[in-house]
mmCIF file of all heavy atoms in Angstrom:
data_model
loop_
_atom_site.group_PDB
_atom_site.id
_atom_site.type_symbol
_atom_site.label_atom_id
_atom_site.label_comp_id
_atom_site.label_asym_id
_atom_site.label_seq_id
_atom_site.Cartn_x
_atom_site.Cartn_y
_atom_site.Cartn_z
ATOM 1 N N ASN A 261 154.012 31.509 -137.612
ATOM 2 C CA ASN A 261 155.054 31.098 -138.548
ATOM 3 C C ASN A 261 156.281 31.952 -138.240
ATOM 4 O O ASN A 261 156.164 33.176 -138.135
ATOM 5 C CB ASN A 261 154.570 31.354 -139.990
ATOM 6 C CG ASN A 261 155.560 30.876 -141.031
ATOM 7 O OD1 ASN A 261 156.760 31.108 -140.924
ATOM 8 N ND2 ASN A 261 155.065 30.225 -142.061
ATOM 9 N N MET A 262 157.445 31.335 -138.091
ATOM 10 C CA MET A 262 158.659 32.095 -137.724
ATOM 11 C C MET A 262 158.984 33.150 -138.779
ATOM 12 O O MET A 262 159.501 34.221 -138.470
ATOM 13 C CB MET A 262 159.837 31.125 -137.568
ATOM 14 C CG MET A 262 160.983 31.707 -136.797
ATOM 15 S SD MET A 262 160.596 31.847 -135.042
ATOM 16 C CE MET A 262 161.133 30.232 -134.469
ATOM 17 N N ARG A 263 158.651 32.848 -140.053
ATOM 18 C CA ARG A 263 158.955 33.821 -141.116
ATOM 19 C C ARG A 263 158.061 35.054 -140.986
ATOM 20 O O ARG A 263 158.479 36.170 -141.333
ATOM 21 C CB ARG A 263 158.792 33.174 -142.494
ATOM 22 C CG ARG A 263 159.943 32.187 -142.813
ATOM 23 C CD ARG A 263 159.512 31.169 -143.849
ATOM 24 N NE ARG A 263 159.138 31.756 -145.111
ATOM 25 C CZ ARG A 263 158.160 31.276 -145.907
ATOM 26 N NH1 ARG A 263 157.475 30.196 -145.544
ATOM 27 N NH2 ARG A 263 157.889 31.848 -147.045
ATOM 28 N N ILE A 264 156.828 34.858 -140.490
ATOM 29 C CA ILE A 264 155.940 36.015 -140.280
ATOM 30 C C ILE A 264 156.479 36.851 -139.115
ATOM 31 O O ILE A 264 156.517 38.083 -139.174
ATOM 32 C CB ILE A 264 154.485 35.566 -140.002
ATOM 33 C CG1 ILE A 264 153.901 34.843 -141.213
ATOM 34 C CG2 ILE A 264 153.610 36.771 -139.636
ATOM 35 C CD1 ILE A 264 152.496 34.282 -140.999
ATOM 36 N N VAL A 265 156.922 36.172 -138.060
ATOM 37 C CA VAL A 265 157.500 36.871 -136.902
ATOM 38 C C VAL A 265 158.653 37.757 -137.374
ATOM 39 O O VAL A 265 158.723 38.952 -137.056
ATOM 40 C CB VAL A 265 158.000 35.837 -135.850
ATOM 41 C CG1 VAL A 265 158.793 36.524 -134.736
ATOM 42 C CG2 VAL A 265 156.831 35.038 -135.273
ATOM 43 N N ASP A 266 159.558 37.170 -138.166
ATOM 44 C CA ASP A 266 160.731 37.918 -138.642
ATOM 45 C C ASP A 266 160.337 39.053 -139.591
ATOM 46 O O ASP A 266 160.889 40.147 -139.507
ATOM 47 C CB ASP A 266 161.714 36.966 -139.342
ATOM 48 C CG ASP A 266 162.389 36.037 -138.350
ATOM 49 O OD1 ASP A 266 162.558 36.443 -137.181
ATOM 50 O OD2 ASP A 266 162.745 34.900 -138.723
ATOM 51 N N ALA A 267 159.366 38.771 -140.478
ATOM 52 C CA ALA A 267 158.950 39.800 -141.447
ATOM 53 C C ALA A 267 158.329 40.990 -140.718
ATOM 54 O O ALA A 267 158.598 42.152 -141.072
ATOM 55 C CB ALA A 267 157.945 39.211 -142.438
ATOM 56 N N MET A 268 157.542 40.741 -139.693
ATOM 57 C CA MET A 268 156.927 41.844 -138.949
ATOM 58 C C MET A 268 157.994 42.661 -138.225
ATOM 59 O O MET A 268 157.952 43.892 -138.223
ATOM 60 C CB MET A 268 155.895 41.305 -137.943
ATOM 61 C CG MET A 268 154.579 40.922 -138.588
ATOM 62 S SD MET A 268 153.259 40.740 -137.386
ATOM 63 C CE MET A 268 153.822 39.340 -136.477
ATOM 64 N N ALA A 269 158.928 41.961 -137.583
ATOM 65 C CA ALA A 269 159.983 42.659 -136.830
ATOM 66 C C ALA A 269 160.806 43.545 -137.784
ATOM 67 O O ALA A 269 161.150 44.678 -137.448
ATOM 68 C CB ALA A 269 160.882 41.658 -136.116
ATOM 69 N N ARG A 270 161.073 43.016 -138.999
ATOM 70 C CA ARG A 270 161.826 43.785 -140.003
ATOM 71 C C ARG A 270 161.032 45.010 -140.448
ATOM 72 O O ARG A 270 161.538 46.122 -140.475
ATOM 73 C CB ARG A 270 162.127 42.907 -141.223
ATOM 74 C CG ARG A 270 163.503 42.273 -141.216
ATOM 75 C CD ARG A 270 163.892 41.761 -142.589
ATOM 76 N NE ARG A 270 162.852 41.028 -143.289
ATOM 77 C CZ ARG A 270 162.608 39.723 -143.141
ATOM 78 N NH1 ARG A 270 163.343 39.008 -142.315
ATOM 79 N NH2 ARG A 270 161.642 39.119 -143.825
ATOM 80 N N ALA A 271 159.741 44.775 -140.788
ATOM 81 C CA ALA A 271 158.904 45.870 -141.297
ATOM 82 C C ALA A 271 158.716 46.964 -140.246
ATOM 83 O O ALA A 271 158.616 48.138 -140.588
ATOM 84 C CB ALA A 271 157.546 45.327 -141.738
ATOM 85 N N MET A 272 158.706 46.580 -138.972
ATOM 86 C CA MET A 272 158.539 47.583 -137.907
ATOM 87 C C MET A 272 159.869 48.195 -137.483
ATOM 88 O O MET A 272 159.908 49.043 -136.604
ATOM 89 C CB MET A 272 157.845 46.941 -136.693
ATOM 90 C CG MET A 272 156.406 46.546 -136.985
ATOM 91 S SD MET A 272 155.681 45.699 -135.573
ATOM 92 C CE MET A 272 155.699 47.027 -134.408
ATOM 93 N N LYS A 273 160.955 47.710 -138.129
ATOM 94 C CA LYS A 273 162.308 48.197 -137.818
ATOM 95 C C LYS A 273 162.608 48.126 -136.326
ATOM 96 O O LYS A 273 163.115 49.085 -135.712
ATOM 97 C CB LYS A 273 162.503 49.623 -138.331
ATOM 98 C CG LYS A 273 162.344 49.756 -139.847
ATOM 99 C CD LYS A 273 162.781 51.145 -140.290
ATOM 100 C CE LYS A 273 162.835 51.333 -141.781
ATOM 101 N NZ LYS A 273 161.625 51.011 -142.540
ATOM 102 N N LEU A 274 162.292 46.985 -135.728
ATOM 103 C CA LEU A 274 162.558 46.819 -134.302
ATOM 104 C C LEU A 274 164.067 46.707 -134.090
ATOM 105 O O LEU A 274 164.742 45.956 -134.803
ATOM 106 C CB LEU A 274 161.867 45.561 -133.763
ATOM 107 C CG LEU A 274 160.334 45.548 -133.834
ATOM 108 C CD1 LEU A 274 159.782 44.277 -133.201
ATOM 109 C CD2 LEU A 274 159.738 46.781 -133.140
ATOM 110 N N PRO A 275 164.622 47.446 -133.143
ATOM 111 C CA PRO A 275 166.077 47.347 -132.907
ATOM 112 C C PRO A 275 166.458 45.980 -132.336
ATOM 113 O O PRO A 275 165.607 45.262 -131.798
ATOM 114 C CB PRO A 275 166.345 48.463 -131.889
ATOM 115 C CG PRO A 275 165.040 48.843 -131.314
ATOM 116 C CD PRO A 275 163.966 48.436 -132.276
ATOM 117 N N ASP A 276 167.748 45.641 -132.433
ATOM 118 C CA ASP A 276 168.234 44.337 -131.960
ATOM 119 C C ASP A 276 168.027 44.134 -130.463
ATOM 120 O O ASP A 276 168.077 43.011 -129.968
ATOM 121 C CB ASP A 276 169.743 44.193 -132.249
ATOM 122 C CG ASP A 276 169.994 44.083 -133.738
ATOM 123 O OD1 ASP A 276 169.019 43.832 -134.476
ATOM 124 O OD2 ASP A 276 171.152 44.269 -134.157
ATOM 125 N N THR A 277 167.837 45.242 -129.757
ATOM 126 C CA THR A 277 167.670 45.152 -128.304
ATOM 127 C C THR A 277 166.308 44.571 -127.918
ATOM 128 O O THR A 277 166.087 44.219 -126.762
ATOM 129 C CB THR A 277 167.786 46.556 -127.674
ATOM 130 O OG1 THR A 277 166.953 47.442 -128.434
ATOM 131 C CG2 THR A 277 169.214 47.053 -127.681
ATOM 132 N N VAL A 278 165.383 44.493 -128.872
ATOM 133 C CA VAL A 278 164.043 43.956 -128.573
ATOM 134 C C VAL A 278 164.091 42.422 -128.621
ATOM 135 O O VAL A 278 164.459 41.834 -129.648
ATOM 136 C CB VAL A 278 162.996 44.484 -129.587
ATOM 137 C CG1 VAL A 278 161.620 43.859 -129.337
ATOM 138 C CG2 VAL A 278 162.903 46.004 -129.513
ATOM 139 N N ALA A 279 163.728 41.780 -127.507
ATOM 140 C CA ALA A 279 163.683 40.310 -127.470
ATOM 141 C C ALA A 279 162.421 39.852 -128.210
ATOM 142 O O ALA A 279 161.344 40.417 -128.020
ATOM 143 C CB ALA A 279 163.643 39.832 -126.026
ATOM 144 N N ILE A 280 162.575 38.830 -129.058
ATOM 145 C CA ILE A 280 161.447 38.386 -129.894
ATOM 146 C C ILE A 280 161.017 36.977 -129.499
ATOM 147 O O ILE A 280 161.859 36.071 -129.370
ATOM 148 C CB ILE A 280 161.841 38.440 -131.381
ATOM 149 C CG1 ILE A 280 162.177 39.889 -131.770
ATOM 150 C CG2 ILE A 280 160.729 37.883 -132.256
ATOM 151 C CD1 ILE A 280 162.605 40.080 -133.210
ATOM 152 N N ALA A 281 159.717 36.794 -129.295
ATOM 153 C CA ALA A 281 159.181 35.476 -128.922
ATOM 154 C C ALA A 281 159.312 34.510 -130.096
ATOM 155 O O ALA A 281 158.921 34.834 -131.213
ATOM 156 C CB ALA A 281 157.714 35.617 -128.525
ATOM 157 N N ARG A 282 159.853 33.314 -129.808
ATOM 158 C CA ARG A 282 160.031 32.309 -130.867
ATOM 159 C C ARG A 282 159.584 30.930 -130.379
ATOM 160 O O ARG A 282 160.214 29.915 -130.660
ATOM 161 C CB ARG A 282 161.502 32.273 -131.299
ATOM 162 C CG ARG A 282 161.977 33.596 -131.866
ATOM 163 C CD ARG A 282 163.349 33.485 -132.492
ATOM 164 N NE ARG A 282 163.768 34.762 -133.038
ATOM 165 C CZ ARG A 282 163.325 35.261 -134.181
ATOM 166 N NH1 ARG A 282 162.477 34.578 -134.914
ATOM 167 N NH2 ARG A 282 163.739 36.436 -134.609
#
Side-chain angles (χ1 to χ4, degrees):
N261 184 315
M262 198 72 89
R263 287 157 61 215
I264 296 176
V265 171
D266 290 331
M268 282 196 294
R270 263 196 315 274
M272 293 176 65
K273 299 189 173 54
L274 297 183
D276 291 345
T277 48
V278 176
I280 298 179
R282 299 189 179 283

